[in-house]
Amino acid sequence: MIQNPTSRGNCFIETAEIDKILEKHEYKKSALIPILQEIQSKNRWLPCETLKYVSEKLDIPLIDVYSLATFYKSFSLKPRGKHVITACCGTACHVRGGPKVLQEIQNQLNIGVDETTPDKKFTLETVRCLGACALGPLVVIDGKYHGQMNTKKVASILKKYSKKNK
Amino acid sequence: MIELTIDGLPVLVEEGSTILDAARFYGIDIPTLCHNDGLTPYGACRLCVVEIGKGENAKLVSSCTYPAEPGLVVRTNSKRVTEARKVLVELLVAMCPSSKTVQDLASAMEVKKVRFKVEHNDCILCGLCVRMCEEQMMAKAIGFVNRGKDRKITTPFDMKSDVCRTCGGCMYICPACELRCQGPDAETDLCNACLNVQPVCLKEEDNKMCFLGTCGWCYEELGRKKKK
Ligand code: FES
Ligand code: FES
């Protein structure tokens, strides 16, 4: 997960905003996870500077913040697009054609897994089973479940989301 | 004071000591890898396994983290223990065959072959350097990042750390950094110098650097020559 620390992505959270979040959690060290979650929900990803700032303010060694942020898959240290697409690669979805759907999404967006389109609209991620196997193959976009996916549906759904962006 | 039995020997140790402390105090040898006296026990390598309990309830625990309890019956050398250790060492050799520490452990336990796929990693994730950096050098410059098969030890963002003073403590303590004996067969997966290869003696081949201080080959050779 090496990333260029100077690349700031498409949005960058202000320190004032981070301070507000930190204040809400009373600068508690134990609240590191909720703090990072809140920052991520505002900013979509966690830039290097943000992690450094948080570690300084909470007086937690930077390496601890970094290990925690890299441990949990829901934290992203890479810039994420506006819409996060999560394609299921679990067993049930796999046998029902999940890989084909994933491939189709990759073809349409011209990106690989864990990558973001250059226009910062979409980020593609995979997951092992979302616990809704009956709906497979499953694709989740911004928390919304799209069940019984097939390669034909992909284009129209993606179009819907890229229009939303405007 | 706590009273427990190690290998049938009743021993007395201070409260708060681990099984490993107790065994070492009484001169019973338990091999360790991720344990260091100056650092907190971590329990990563599991090489220090011992068997506790009786009959069906007997189980393997890591002695470096298991506190000595009154009445505990410990076996440090049962068949189960030695077999478990051998497999562990084999796995370690497969992970990092270039490490002298690991090779020496393998030789000491008479591991003669490696049945696992050999990967030439440069880290066995024992966590010694992380603890060294934090506890002895008070720096906390390195730590574990990622998880699962991607877990590794590095500085934040894989860049030079602001708090690292380049003291070298991490390298000093690393068991994987130390190169193994460069004598004959240095390229093989298993060194087993004293078990498998021709004698390497400082006297005759001073450029070979035999690390095995008590390898005993020379003595055996001497004995053989005398018999003739
Ligand atoms: S395998 Fe996709 S939801 Fe279970
Ligand atoms: S020395 Fe006990 S687990 Fe490594």
Side-chain angles (χ1 to χ4, degrees), chain B residues 20 24 30-36 41-49 62-65 126 131:
Chain B
L20 182 68
R24 291 234 163 126
I30 298 177
T32 56
L33 178 59
C34 71
H35 178 269
N36 188 290
Y42 187 61
C45 70
R46 317 310 284 183
L47 266 188
C48 62
V49 283
S62 60
S63 62
C64 69
T65 51
C126 66
R131 281 173 284 153

Side-chain angles (χ1 to χ4, degrees), chain B residues 194-210:
Chain B
C194 55
L195 298 176
N196 294 334
V197 302
Q198 292 300 307
V200 181
C201 280
L202 284 176
K203 258 190 199 151
E204 285 150 35
E205 303 187 52
D206 40 18
N207 58 336
K208 291 290 193 264
M209 270 210 312
C210 180

Side-chain angles (χ1 to χ4, degrees), chain A residues 88 90-93 129-133 138:
Chain A
C88 182
T91 316
C93 292
C129 192
L130 291 150
C133 308
L138 202 57

Side-chain angles (χ1 to χ4, degrees), chain A residues 2 63-64 66-67 70-71, chain B residues 140 143-147 157-158:
Chain A
I2 306 173
I63 184 66
D64 283 350
Y66 183 66
S67 348
T70 51
F71 184 85
Chain B
K140 264 214 127 187
F144 289 99
V145 304
N146 298 338
R147 66 171 158 167
F157 307 101
D158 290 338

Side-chain angles (χ1 to χ4, degrees), chain B residues 112-131:
Chain B
K112 293 246 170 73
K113 65 168 187 273
V114 185
R115 291 163 293 178
F116 305 102
K117 192 176 154 244
V118 177
E119 292 168 17
H120 292 264
N121 291 342
D122 46 10
C123 178
I124 51 174
L125 297 175
C126 66
L128 276 170
C129 55
V130 176
R131 281 173 284 153

Side-chain angles (χ1 to χ4, degrees), chain A residues 46-118:
Chain A
L46 300 170
C48 169
E49 287 85 349
T50 310
L51 291 186
K52 276 191 187 154
Y53 187 77
V54 171
S55 104
E56 262 165 42
K57 284 279 156 165
L58 293 182
D59 194 21
I60 299 177
L62 180 59
I63 184 66
D64 283 350
V65 182
Y66 183 66
S67 348
L68 186 132
T70 51
F71 184 85
Y72 292 107
K73 214 180 162 214
S74 58
F75 290 130
S76 174
L77 297 181
K78 277 196 279 184
R80 268 170 156 185
K82 201 150 205 167
H83 306 291
V84 179
I85 306 174
T86 319
C88 182
C89 290
T91 316
C93 292
H94 185 95
V95 295
R96 287 170 169 219
K100 274 190 204 150
V101 174
L102 178 64
Q103 192 55 51
E104 180 65 18
I105 300 173
Q106 287 180 333
N107 291 350
Q108 294 266 338
L109 297 174
N110 211 359
I111 52 169
V113 175
D114 282 332
E115 283 175 18
T116 305
T117 49

Side-chain angles (χ1 to χ4, degrees), chain A:
Chain A
M1 211 176 278
I2 306 173
Q3 41 117 18
N4 182 359
T6 48
S7 80
R8 296 200 155 187
N10 55 333
C11 54
F12 195 69
I13 190 160
E14 297 290 326
T15 45
E17 218 168 322
I18 301 175
D19 282 336
K20 233 188 269 166
I21 296 171
L22 290 171
E23 233 152 75
K24 200 172 113 198
H25 291 279
E26 295 164 1
Y27 290 87
K28 264 196 223 132
K29 288 185 188 182
S30 54
L32 183 58
I33 294 181
I35 288 171
L36 292 185
Q37 273 174 328
E38 240 168 90
I39 294 175
Q40 169 144 320
S41 71
K42 289 229 164 73
N43 192 49
R44 302 208 296 260
W45 65 290
L46 300 170
C48 169
E49 287 85 349
T50 310
L51 291 186
K52 276 191 187 154
Y53 187 77
V54 171
S55 104
E56 262 165 42
K57 284 279 156 165
L58 293 182
D59 194 21
I60 299 177
L62 180 59
I63 184 66
D64 283 350
V65 182
Y66 183 66
S67 348
L68 186 132
T70 51
F71 184 85
Y72 292 107
K73 214 180 162 214
S74 58
F75 290 130
S76 174
L77 297 181
K78 277 196 279 184
R80 268 170 156 185
K82 201 150 205 167
H83 306 291
V84 179
I85 306 174
T86 319
C88 182
C89 290
T91 316
C93 292
H94 185 95
V95 295
R96 287 170 169 219
K100 274 190 204 150
V101 174
L102 178 64
Q103 192 55 51
E104 180 65 18
I105 300 173
Q106 287 180 333
N107 291 350
Q108 294 266 338
L109 297 174
N110 211 359
I111 52 169
V113 175
D114 282 332
E115 283 175 18
T116 305
T117 49
D119 59 1
K120 301 278 187 289
K121 264 187 199 163
F122 293 104
T123 297
L124 179 60
E125 282 171 7
T126 57
V127 71
R128 315 276 145 197
C129 192
L130 291 150
C133 308
L135 293 177
L138 202 57
V139 171
V140 181
I141 306 182
D142 295 343
K144 192 166 178 293
Y145 283 58
H146 298 266
Q148 262 105 40
M149 279 297 281
N150 52 40
T151 42
K152 279 176 207 141
K153 277 194 196 169
V154 169
S156 61
I157 288 179
L158 288 182
K159 209 177 268 168
K160 211 172 82 195
Y161 277 94
S162 53
K163 259 189 209 146
K164 250 191 201 171
N165 203 24
K166 275 172 199 164

